Amino acid sequence: MTPNDRPAGGLRKRDPVQGLHKPPFELTGLGRGADTFDHDRILADLATNTIEQEGLPDGGYLVALAADALSKPSSLTIGADGEDLIEDARADIAAGHFEIALALLEEYLGRFASHQEARFLRAYCLTHIAEPQYEQALRILRPLRDEVTPKELGERIRTLRRELRRRLTPGEYKAYADTAESDPRGALARAADFLELVPEDGKLNYLLAAGHARLGELDQALDAAERGVLEADSERQRIEDLASQLRLILLRPMAEPAARAFKSRNPQLALALLDGIEPRWRESGPIQDFERYLVLLIQHRNPPVPPAPLLPDDRADDLYSLIAENDVSRALALMDRGGLERAEQLLAALMTAVPGFRWLNFVYAILLYENGRRPEQAEACARVAMRDPTIAQARDLLEAIHAWQESIVINPVVEEFVAVLDALNDKPSARQLPRLRSRLVAVQAQIPALRKAVRTAEGKKAVEHLGTATGNWISELDKAEVVSAFFDEYERIMTPVVGGLKTVRDANQLATALDALGVRIRAARTGTGSTGGSGKQDRAHPLDELADRVEARRAEAGTARTTIEVSELVRRFNTLMAPLTSGSPDARLFQAVAALAKPIGQEAVRLRNAAGRGLDSRDRQSLDQLIATIERLWP
């Protein structure tokens, strides 16, 4: 294995960074004014309120008439023939004799049917008799609601009507809720009858209009809503919104030919087609605004980009709805069937005709998002949609688009980071490490720009994770390069002795070089945090493997040197003994060889003692045989 092909050691595996995902976006309900026809939810709210009010006690809630007020003559003119009846009725009411007072008042009203105070007192008595007749009392008071009355009497009438509404309307809500599903028209008829008594009840007005709309009876629904706008004392904005939507629904088919001409860039024909609409509808606000807008376009000679209508936002939106709502609905139907491409084509053409239509911008932004195209335009459209408070999901869509934009910016950088990690996991060679490090440095250089680009919490978290992970891996590669340099030096030391050690000098040189390398490795490990708080070395340090290998090779060098020394002693002894094995040596030769053999034996003893237990068994056997031979021959 050559140094350049050697795997890079010392890399620690870490959790990879995950890219961002394009979050799903689901259009719920209509998404725009979704509660406009939310008949059932309103009904559920009313039912809840009804339950809460059912436990209220009866006593103490009806209007109280002060005794001194009852003793005073009425501020209205009373004929001489009936004055005593009124005075007696007041006295009986003050005494709590309501049935008697009621009989007197009925006699009086038989003669003076329009007398306002007598009618009020009669209604008052009906609420206090043994079997109260609240609805009949309310019917008596209903005409008085619209009549001009003296201030004090008018206040009493209003107070009593409020109390009667408080008592009766919960039951009417409940009756409607109980029959709205099984007999919707019967429920609506009963609600309409009661609404004649309390035309100011906003919730009932809304229920009546929404109930007709629910049955597809849009004309009746609009009539009810328009009456509610005039009469209701609550829920007026909701009723106005409902009336506006109903009016637009009814107007759109009438205005469709003119809308087609407008979209075909023929405002003159569109204006002529509006002239054919029935006068009742032509005088409605949206049609009038459409006509004025067409005149504006004609005056501007039909510019390539239609100018915005000179209208408040709500009226401009109604105008846009008149022109384009049907097409948006067709696009939504295509989306439901999976025809995203066709729907986008349809809405793209509409965007050139009514670019300011906020609902159109919302649906078009969804299509761009779902089709994964033009994120900047999708964001711009979502921002236009956010200007319409009735588009409940506009902000959610904008946040999803922001996440999508961030994924487009962040994910390529994450993918490059992951590609480098994959290369590192494939155990790159030492010569590949600098190139991989350069790629990580390039990733790290993009982090500041990514921080500026992200807006969502998830995006910020992903960028910070990527920045931290990239910095950690660069540090790991820096360590790996240090490790690689030590491995390179180790291989440079070991390469000359691949074929084995030949001399003691070679063994000593190898041992010296390995000792020096071991010292430097220990210093590097200490300098890079190789010890923990306990002072013990961290065995997970990337240089540990090399340190163990150097230590092993150093021990092998010592063993090899001993083996070489043993072999050299054996060789010298064998060379010395050669003359004695040929012929018949004389005593002088034997003595001369002995003089030379004894130092060899002494050196063998020293070598055996110095090596101790670390001596190889074969070397020990050779030394023992050599020493024994010399001692036997020359004791």
Side-chain angles (χ1 to χ4, degrees):
M1 180 182 294
T2 65
N4 284 334
D5 292 332
R6 170 180 48 76
L11 296 177
R12 305 181 186 184
K13 292 184 178 180
R14 297 179 185 270
D15 293 335
V17 173
Q18 299 292 328
L20 295 178
H21 298 288
K22 180 182 175 185
F25 181 83
E26 182 179 357
L27 181 62
T28 59
L30 292 177
R32 172 182 186 243
D35 63 343
T36 299
F37 301 115
D38 198 353
H39 170 276
D40 297 337
R41 187 177 66 81
I42 300 299
L43 190 60
D45 291 345
L46 291 175
T48 300
N49 292 334
T50 298
I51 293 171
E52 291 175 353
Q53 295 183 59
E54 283 180 348
L56 292 176
D58 290 339
Y61 286 88
L62 289 174
V63 60
L65 300 177
D68 59 342
L70 290 170
S71 65
K72 294 178 182 177
S74 170
S75 58
L76 301 176
T77 301
I78 303 174
D81 292 339
E83 185 173 350
D84 54 340
L85 296 175
I86 288 289
E87 290 177 352
D88 289 347
R90 289 197 193 105
D92 286 328
I93 290 173
H97 303 148
F98 297 106
E99 286 81 0
I100 297 173
L102 187 60
L104 293 172
L105 291 167
E106 287 176 350
E107 180 181 351
Y108 179 77
L109 286 170
R111 298 161 60 186
F112 305 99
S114 63
H115 193 276
Q116 291 177 328
E117 184 182 10
R119 289 150 66 194
F120 166 75
L121 292 175
R122 181 187 177 210
Y124 183 81
C125 289
L126 288 173
T127 64
H128 286 75
I129 59 178
E131 295 182 4
Q133 299 179 28
Y134 297 137
E135 185 172 339
Q136 179 61 24
L138 193 58
R139 289 187 183 279
I140 294 170
L141 295 174
R142 172 64 181 89
L144 287 169
R145 172 184 180 271
D146 300 330
E147 295 177 15
V148 177
T149 58
K151 182 179 179 181
E152 184 178 353
L153 179 60
E155 182 57 36
R156 291 177 180 176
I157 291 169
R158 285 188 291 272
T159 301
L160 184 54
R161 290 190 80 255
R162 280 197 300 270
E163 178 58 26
L164 290 170
R165 282 180 58 192
R166 191 193 70 82
R167 289 176 174 273
L168 294 175
T169 51
E172 293 300 318
Y173 294 152
K174 187 175 187 304
Y176 184 87
D178 290 343
T179 58
E181 292 297 332
S182 60
D183 183 15
R185 285 188 170 80
L188 288 173
R190 173 168 175 163
D193 287 343
F194 187 71
L195 195 58
E196 290 296 327
L197 301 180
V198 288
E200 67 270 36
D201 190 297
K203 288 185 174 66
L204 202 57
N205 270 289
Y206 183 91
L207 269 181
L208 185 63
H212 280 299
R214 187 181 182 215
L215 295 176
E217 300 167 351
L218 300 184
D219 287 307
Q220 297 96 313
L222 180 58
D223 289 342
E226 288 179 338
R227 179 180 176 183
V229 170
L230 296 175
E231 298 280 5
D233 61 2
S234 62
E235 303 289 332
R236 181 166 294 178
Q237 185 59 55
R238 176 173 279 167
I239 299 171
E240 286 182 2
D241 292 341
L242 176 58
S244 176
Q245 291 299 314
L246 290 167
R247 193 177 297 111
L248 284 172
I249 292 172
L250 290 166
L251 285 173
R252 276 197 289 268
M254 305 175 198
E256 180 64 23
R260 284 198 300 268
F262 167 82
K263 287 177 283 190
S264 299
R265 303 187 57 76
N266 192 340
Q268 292 87 353
L269 175 59
L271 192 60
L273 290 169
L274 288 180
D275 285 338
I277 294 177
E278 183 183 342
R280 172 201 170 193
W281 295 105
R282 187 180 173 191
E283 294 173 0
S284 65
I287 297 296
Q288 292 289 309
D289 287 339
F290 195 6
E291 286 184 342
R292 283 189 285 269
Y293 186 48
L294 291 170
V295 170
L296 177 66
L297 294 179
I298 294 170
Q299 291 173 347
H300 285 75
R301 298 183 179 181
N302 199 14
V305 179
L310 304 177
L311 296 168
D313 285 346
D314 56 343
R315 287 172 57 189
D317 216 49
D318 286 348
L319 170 60
Y320 289 143
S321 176
L322 198 65
I323 295 170
E325 186 90 27
N326 286 341
D327 289 325
V328 176
S329 297
R330 282 193 286 272
L332 286 169
L334 286 169
M335 291 167 63
D336 286 340
R337 297 193 299 268
L340 298 181
E341 294 289 340
R342 179 69 187 94
E344 184 179 337
Q345 294 171 7
L346 174 61
L347 295 189
L350 275 182
M351 287 292 295
T352 64
V354 284
F357 188 16
R358 296 176 292 186
W359 174 237
L360 168 63
N361 276 268
F362 176 69
V363 178
Y364 191 51
I366 294 175
L367 276 168
L368 293 176
Y369 182 79
E370 293 297 332
N371 288 335
R373 285 195 283 266
R374 300 190 295 280
E376 299 307 318
Q377 185 178 6
E379 179 187 10
C381 289
R383 290 191 179 280
V384 172
M386 281 188 61
R387 295 201 288 268
D388 185 346
T390 69
I391 303 178
Q393 290 184 272
R395 180 170 295 280
D396 294 339
L397 175 59
L398 183 62
E399 291 177 358
I401 290 171
H402 284 163
W404 171 35
Q405 291 172 318
E406 290 176 357
S407 70
I408 293 172
V409 174
I410 293 174
N411 285 357
V413 184
V414 172
E415 288 168 4
E416 168 63 6
F417 174 82
V418 171
V420 175
L421 258 62
D422 289 342
L424 291 172
N425 288 334
D426 289 339
K427 297 182 179 180
S429 64
R431 64 182 176 183
Q432 292 176 304
L433 289 181
R435 184 166 63 252
L436 295 175
R437 184 184 185 280
S438 296
R439 289 172 64 183
L440 285 178
V441 169
V443 168
Q444 190 178 53
Q446 298 180 69
I447 299 299
L450 293 182
R451 288 195 179 103
K452 293 180 180 179
V454 296
R455 286 170 283 191
T456 69
E458 184 179 1
K460 293 176 181 178
K461 181 179 178 181
V463 171
E464 292 308 311
H465 188 189
L466 176 62
T468 300
T470 303
N472 288 338
W473 272 102
I474 290 174
S475 176
E476 287 296 309
L477 289 183
D478 288 341
K479 292 178 182 179
E481 288 188 10
V482 172
V483 173
S484 181
F486 278 114
F487 268 94
D488 287 342
E489 183 173 353
Y490 170 76
E491 289 173 350
R492 180 183 58 77
I493 293 171
M494 295 302 298
T495 298
V497 297
V498 169
L501 296 171
K502 300 293 190 292
T503 66
V504 172
R505 182 173 178 272
D506 292 339
N508 287 336
Q509 288 179 341
L510 176 61
T512 299
L514 289 174
D515 286 340
L517 180 59
V519 170
R520 293 178 54 212
I521 289 174
R522 287 192 294 274
R525 291 174 73 239
T526 302
T528 54
S530 61
T531 59
S534 64
K536 296 181 180 179
Q537 287 187 339
D538 177 10
R539 298 307 298 171
H541 193 280
L543 284 172
D544 284 348
E545 177 189 352
L546 182 58
D548 292 342
R549 192 179 301 183
V550 168
E551 184 177 347
R553 298 294 86 76
R554 174 63 181 83
E556 291 172 1
T559 300
R561 181 177 62 187
T562 302
T563 300
I564 294 171
E565 289 177 333
V566 170
S567 298
E568 181 62 21
L569 288 175
V570 172
R571 184 192 63 77
R572 287 168 53 194
F573 178 75
N574 289 336
T575 302
L576 186 63
M577 292 295 293
L580 298 179
T581 58
S582 61
S584 301
D586 56 22
R588 286 185 301 171
L589 180 59
F590 193 82
Q591 289 299 323
V593 170
L596 296 173
K598 286 183 178 181
I600 294 175
Q602 292 170 349
E603 191 170 348
V605 171
R606 180 194 60 76
L607 185 59
R608 185 182 62 184
N609 293 337
R613 295 182 179 179
L615 189 62
D616 182 84
S617 60
R618 289 178 298 177
D619 291 339
R620 179 178 295 278
Q621 183 178 6
S622 296
L623 286 175
D624 288 345
Q625 289 177 352
L626 178 60
I627 294 169
T629 300
I630 293 174
E631 288 179 347
R632 185 176 65 252
L633 293 174
W634 297 283

